[in-house]
Amino acid sequence: MSKFLEITQLVKTFPTPKGPLTVVRDFDLGLKKGEFITVIGHSGCGKSTVLSMIAGLSDVTGGVIVLAGKEVTNAGPDRGVVFQAPCLLPWFTAFENVMLGIDQVYYTASKLERTQIAEYYLSLVGLADSMHKRPGELSQGMRQRCGIARAFALSPKMLLLDEPFGMLDSLTKFELQDVLLNLWQRDQKTALMVTHDVDEALYLSDRVVMMTDGPEATVGDILEVKFPRPRTRRQLLEDPEYYRLREYLIHFLNERSHHRPGKNGQPALAHA
Amino acid sequence: MNKFKFDWLILPLVGVLIVLSVWHGVAGKKIFVTDAAGAIIEEKRIGLIPDLPNVVETWTSSLPYIKEPFAKRGEMDQGILRFTWYSLVLVAQGYAIALIIGVPLGFFLGLSPTFTKMFDPLIQVLRPVSPLAWLPLGLVLFMRAGPEAGTYAALFTIALCGMWPTVLNTAVGVRAVPQDYLNVGRVLKLSRWKMLTKILIPATLPYMFTGFRLSLGISWLAIVAAEMLTGRPGAGGFLWQEYNALIYEHIIFSILTIGLVGLILDRLMSLVEARFKATS
């Protein structure tokens, strides 16, 4: 089985005044095409660092990241990134923010076509009526909708989501998870999302990657989530399996995340 | 509402009144010494500082210049707004040069640590130098420019002194552009030009406008020095000329005019600055 994204022996070291600090070490992960994977772990464990290395925003200290057969060396629009803070440029409207990327990627298309792409994705995320507002006039949730539209509109090879709903209240978060799932199902994009929300991970993903705590964080365990798609929140909540998986993840975060695998005899992979 | 009026109208007026009374108190007064028959034998000034004109003298002597603000009675005898206009035109030119040089310089400093290490110490040395010190150098530089040498020297001085706040604030602004915005540009693989026009410049604008406002203030400071030394007609040239003509009332009048114009310029720039900060 060929992997669409293959991460091998990834290492990230930051220089600090006290000498180099290894944040991530021996991180291995493969994603199949069209798969939705979440990486879960405690804050500061290095999961966002892994994501920003895949995005090409942070240099790789050691190891290799291969996306669709090509090694990742720097940032590019073939990876749609949804940042934690939506990172919209405040001097542009929602529409202009999306257009900035579209102009880069679809530079051969006509102005009309490009406008249509932007409008299409903005209306898919529910911003049809407010696409000409600036981020300052939009709520947090609407800004992140725009961030999602911007990432999808570039039709990237894969999506990278860095705790995209971390700053939202739970109701808005639920809405946006559904917006994301809809778009993801429509486009069949390979997606990797970083989160610390157990329910979010189970609702969205095919597999949940659990990371051990830093420094020298790595993959502690991987959980298969086999609920049929399309999923509904309700259907999950009625399934006893959901609570078993949830318990498993929470147990990992509470107890096992503090140890690197192997050292204390935990299994490297659990079968859920 | 009442409290509001008290704060911005009554209290400042009280302050002005206090200063005016102190000034009037220490200022001189003209008296006539008469002989027994009542004929004037001598005219002299008394007071703590006899030669300082008092409030009334200053007011009556300045009135013609205010009443006919655009009059032109001679090269150095013109209405005060006409003088101010001359000064403003020169400042505008020098200020424009300062911005045209200052903004790119600020961007280079903000973007390149090497450039900063190379030139920042020099800038720190040149920045505190007074306009009065630059002007003679300007005169030397443009000595062969003929009758316009004074104008060029004045522009040189205004531009050089006025430039620094723009340079430094732009540099700070460029360094303060949030990494998130730069990441957006990197993810989209924006060209250098787009990175500059779509991200760096908009993100730096609020800082740049703070620099522009401070630069305008300094340019206005420099104009007075430039006019005094070159003898150009203008608010500052008038001041120096009246000192030489022993009409001391007009020195105070000029100072007040220069101050008021400076205040108005600063307020106008603040308005523009606030607009830019609001939209970004």
Side-chain angles (χ1 to χ4, degrees):
Chain A
M1 172 178 55
S2 80
K3 295 283 197 288
F4 188 64
L5 175 76
E6 180 109 57
I7 303 169
T8 321
Q9 292 291 299
L10 193 66
V11 181
K12 179 70 188 183
T13 308
F14 287 110
T16 67
K18 289 180 198 157
L21 175 74
T22 306
V23 180
V24 176
R25 203 175 63 136
D26 304 338
F27 188 98
D28 291 299
L29 186 66
L31 268 72
K32 284 171 277 186
K33 196 168 174 35
E35 196 177 18
F36 197 122
I37 284 212
T38 45
V39 177
I40 201 164
H42 287 286
S43 315
C45 76
K47 52 194 194 302
S48 290
T49 310
V50 170
L51 185 125
S52 86
M53 282 191 280
I54 304 171
L57 292 170
S58 176
D59 291 331
V60 173
T61 313
V64 188
I65 300 171
V66 178
L67 173 66
K70 269 197 273 180
E71 188 178 346
V72 169
T73 48
N74 51 24
D78 58 336
R79 281 145 287 157
V81 184
V82 181
F83 300 93
Q84 176 171 25
C87 289
L88 304 179
L89 302 172
W91 44 88
F92 289 146
T93 62
F95 173 77
E96 287 166 334
N97 267 288
V98 175
M99 274 305 271
L100 184 66
I102 290 179
D103 287 342
Q104 280 303 107
V105 174
Y106 303 97
Y107 49 88
T108 51
S110 70
K111 180 84 189 165
L112 179 69
E113 286 169 316
R114 281 178 279 151
T115 307
Q116 283 170 343
I117 297 170
E119 286 171 351
Y120 172 69
Y121 279 98
L122 280 162
S123 47
L124 280 185
V125 298
L127 284 182
D129 296 331
S130 20
M131 63 171 80
H132 296 294
K133 287 185 180 162
R134 287 169 195 258
E137 304 165 83
L138 300 173
S139 67
Q140 276 284 354
M142 287 165 109
R143 283 182 219 165
Q144 195 53 285
R145 281 170 193 263
C146 180
I148 293 171
R150 177 172 62 182
F152 273 94
L154 307 181
S155 91
K157 286 183 191 147
M158 78 170 296
L159 281 171
L160 299 166
L161 305 113
D162 187 2
E163 294 187 35
F165 311 131
M167 290 159 79
L168 306 176
D169 61 88
S170 8
L171 286 177
T172 318
K173 189 191 270 195
F174 289 165
E175 280 174 25
L176 282 189
Q177 285 166 354
D178 290 331
V179 166
L180 175 65
L181 265 190
N182 277 335
L183 275 169
W184 173 77
Q185 251 147 10
R186 186 183 297 254
D187 286 16
Q188 287 299 314
K189 287 274 175 278
T190 313
L192 187 131
M193 171 160 151
V194 158
T195 183
H196 51 240
D197 182 331
V198 171
D199 296 303
E200 180 169 275
L202 288 175
Y203 183 47
L204 297 176
S205 44
D206 298 313
R207 284 191 291 158
V208 182
V209 174
M210 290 160 264
M211 270 181 85
T212 59
D213 295 350
E216 306 200 350
T218 188
V219 177
D221 200 349
I222 297 178
L223 184 70
E224 302 261 353
V225 184
K226 287 178 173 159
F227 300 116
R229 292 186 190 269
R231 294 174 184 168
T232 61
R233 217 174 290 277
R234 174 147 188 187
Q235 163 212 332
L236 254 63
L237 291 174
E238 287 168 354
D239 193 334
E241 177 72 358
Y242 175 76
Y243 298 94
R244 207 182 66 73
L245 297 180
R246 196 169 185 276
E247 179 62 33
Y248 189 87
L249 288 178
I250 290 173
H251 175 73
F252 175 88
L253 290 175
N254 282 345
E255 312 283 338
R256 292 171 49 207
S257 66
H258 313 313
H259 315 284
R260 279 177 69 85
K263 278 182 191 167
N264 299 306
Q266 285 104 350
L269 193 94
H271 296 284
Chain B
M1 185 63 204
N2 249 341
K3 168 81 178 151
F4 184 61
K5 203 168 182 178
F6 183 76
D7 279 353
W8 69 261
L9 188 70
I10 312 288
L11 284 182
L13 277 178
V14 171
V16 169
L17 273 177
I18 291 172
V19 171
L20 283 180
S21 358
V22 172
W23 166 21
H24 201 73
V26 300
K29 199 172 112 190
K30 200 193 278 184
I31 55 155
F32 300 103
V33 180
T34 52
D35 59 10
I40 298 167
I41 38 170
E42 198 189 357
E43 178 191 319
K44 72 170 186 181
R45 298 185 62 84
I46 54 158
L48 193 64
I49 310 171
D51 295 314
L52 179 69
N54 61 38
V55 176
V56 181
E57 286 166 343
T58 306
W59 174 250
T60 41
S61 169
S62 308
L63 210 52
Y65 293 86
I66 302 171
K67 270 185 174 165
E68 294 176 67
F70 292 105
K72 183 166 183 174
R73 290 172 287 264
E75 187 64 12
M76 274 298 173
D77 187 10
Q78 309 185 26
I80 193 63
L81 286 185
R82 190 178 266 273
F83 274 138
T84 304
W85 175 248
Y86 292 149
S87 299
L88 283 174
V89 168
L90 198 66
V91 162
Q93 292 167 342
Y95 181 58
I97 299 172
L99 298 197
I100 290 168
I101 300 174
V103 170
L105 197 57
F107 265 92
F108 281 125
L109 282 172
L111 289 172
S112 160
T114 316
F115 193 86
T116 303
K117 281 174 200 151
M118 217 186 280
F119 291 108
D120 192 60
L122 201 62
I123 289 173
Q124 299 305 334
V125 170
L126 297 183
R127 198 166 58 96
V129 175
S130 151
L132 287 166
W134 285 116
L135 195 82
L137 184 66
L139 288 170
V140 173
L141 280 176
F142 298 104
M143 202 176 259
R144 289 162 197 269
E148 285 298 303
T151 308
Y152 294 145
L155 289 178
F156 167 79
T157 307
I158 295 164
L160 201 60
C161 293
M163 186 167 77
W164 305 122
T166 295
V167 171
L168 297 176
N169 277 283
T170 305
V172 169
V174 171
R175 288 187 202 116
V177 175
Q179 187 61 41
D180 287 349
Y181 296 166
L182 300 178
N183 280 348
V184 169
R186 284 177 66 193
V187 166
L188 299 179
K189 273 222 161 81
L190 295 183
S191 62
R192 274 167 181 266
W193 175 248
K194 275 199 166 177
M195 198 81 168
L196 189 70
T197 53
K198 304 272 181 186
I199 296 184
L200 279 174
I201 291 180
T204 314
L205 266 183
Y207 288 86
M208 277 162 61
F209 267 90
T210 304
F212 291 172
R213 180 169 59 81
L214 299 174
S215 280
L216 186 59
I218 297 203
S219 299
W220 185 245
L221 271 180
I223 182 78
V224 177
E227 283 177 355
M228 278 168 75
L229 292 182
T230 56
R232 293 173 53 88
F238 178 61
L239 188 155
W240 188 245
Q241 190 238 195
E242 297 301 273
Y243 165 71
N244 287 326
L246 310 181
I247 309 173
Y248 301 149
E249 291 87 348
H250 291 165
I251 296 179
I252 298 171
F253 177 51
S254 296
I255 289 173
L256 292 176
T257 307
I258 293 163
L260 274 175
V261 173
L263 174 74
I264 292 167
L265 290 179
D266 190 71
R267 282 298 137 92
L268 288 177
M269 278 308 283
S270 291
L271 287 180
V272 181
E273 196 184 338
R275 277 194 83 123
F276 267 90
K277 286 195 170 154
T279 56
S280 62

